[in-house]
Structure formats: C-alpha cells, structure tokens
Amino acid sequence: MAAVRTELLPAELESLRRLTLGTAKRRIPAEHGAKLVRCGFAKDQAGVLIITIRGHAKLAFEITRSSWFATPV
C-alpha cells in the first residue's frame, strides 16, 4: 500500500496514464520511465514499458483516493 501512496509529479502521473494507451501513444520521457519502474508502477519488457497491476492501482488511487489493496485489521 505504501507504494500506491508514493507521490508522483503531475508529469510523471501523466506518463503513467499514457502507458494505458495503445502502443503508438506510449512515448514517455526516460526519467519518468525509470521512476515508474523503480516504484513498481511499470516494468521493462523487451525494451517496452508495460504498466503493472500496481500502476493500475496507483491510477485508481489517484482517481478515488482509496487503495485497491486491503489494509491489515
């Protein structure tokens, strides 16, 4: 859950959103890609950035402000 609450700059968040689009529109700055991979929001697969489940969770968190991941009771 802590990674979902990781702060991204608005431009980095937009880069994460672009990963959900088709391949023709997924170009993002290299430094944004590196941070997204480091945070676990994306992975490098054969030289192409792919959004991860954690990346989708981050986008959902940004929209709803509630986490997809269960919190311990």
Side-chain angles (χ1 to χ4, degrees):
M1 186 167 102
V4 173
R5 293 183 186 264
T6 300
E7 291 298 321
L8 293 177
L9 297 173
E12 295 166 339
L13 192 57
E14 179 58 30
S15 292
L16 183 60
R17 283 189 188 103
R18 285 187 187 174
L19 291 180
T20 65
L21 301 175
T23 56
K25 298 184 179 184
R26 292 196 316 184
R27 290 197 182 250
I28 63 171
E31 60 274 3
H32 293 181
K35 183 172 181 180
L36 296 174
V37 169
R38 195 171 52 250
C39 292
F41 300 138
K43 64 180 177 179
D44 187 341
Q45 191 170 29
V48 177
L49 281 181
I50 307 291
I51 191 167
T52 62
I53 292 172
R54 190 172 297 276
H56 284 289
K58 175 62 174 174
L59 291 176
F61 178 77
E62 289 298 321
I63 292 168
T64 64
R65 287 296 172 183
S66 68
S67 179
W68 277 12
F69 299 105
T71 55
V73 187

